[in-house]
Amino acid sequence: MNRPLSAVAGGVTGIAVMTLLLLFLEVETRSNLAIFEAVARFAGMPGNVTLGFLLFLLAGVFAWPLAFMALEQYIPGGPDPATRGMVLAVALWVVFVLTGRGDLSGGLLAIYVIFTLLAHLCYGFLLGAVYGRLTSESPVEADRYDPTDVSQ
């Protein structure tokens, strides 16, 4: 599969899992975190949760995966695309936490920080793993096939 489609496929997989994790967090905190409201607030449309959710999906499916594809070779984390995806996700998480935490404090802020980090790590892992698998750049594939080995 070509690289842009592989990146988007990784983004779809990662954002699906991340969305479920964040929705679970919203339910468990009785919507006190307002994660998608924070995205809308960041985009300059406070109060528009639908817009925040759509921006969240579009960024997760297209913007970050295509940026990952373009920057992958410069991202630290070795040859494993899944590890590189997690490194990118941590950078995204830092911006997400700094801009989206709103008025949270105390225990709710701690839950927000920890749970959003886990959600971002899942997103980055899946983005990189699917991308690597579809482009056959994973270390597992590289170990399996050696073009110079005539015994294969």
Side-chain angles (χ1 to χ4, degrees):
M1 185 178 277
N2 71 28
R3 293 167 54 92
L5 283 178
S6 298
V8 170
V12 168
T13 306
I15 205 70
V17 171
M18 185 176 185
T19 300
L20 290 175
L21 291 172
L22 292 178
L23 288 175
F24 174 75
L25 181 62
E26 283 286 319
V27 168
E28 287 298 315
T29 60
R30 297 185 177 123
S31 299
N32 283 327
L33 298 181
I35 291 172
F36 302 117
E37 163 64 24
V39 175
R41 200 173 43 243
F42 181 74
M45 303 283 286
N48 194 340
V49 177
T50 304
L51 177 69
F53 183 69
L54 288 175
L55 289 175
F56 174 79
L57 289 179
L58 290 174
V61 170
F62 296 107
W64 305 135
L66 294 175
F68 175 74
M69 179 193 72
L71 301 172
E72 183 198 4
Q73 62 185 342
Y74 305 108
I75 298 173
D80 186 12
T83 305
R84 287 180 171 167
M86 291 170 66
V87 170
L88 174 70
V90 168
L92 296 174
W93 170 76
V94 169
V95 174
F96 187 82
V97 164
L98 292 177
T99 60
R101 67 182 172 93
D103 298 332
L104 298 176
S105 62
L108 204 51
L109 179 61
I111 290 170
Y112 175 80
V113 168
I114 293 168
F115 213 91
T116 56
L117 175 61
L118 292 174
H120 277 81
L121 288 173
C122 287
Y123 172 77
F125 178 82
L126 291 169
L127 167 65
V130 170
Y131 173 78
R133 184 64 147 171
L134 293 177
T135 57
S136 298
E137 292 181 358
S138 71
V140 173
E141 290 296 323
D143 291 342
R144 286 188 187 159
Y145 177 71
D146 181 9
T148 60
D149 186 6
V150 291
S151 65
Q152 293 183 347

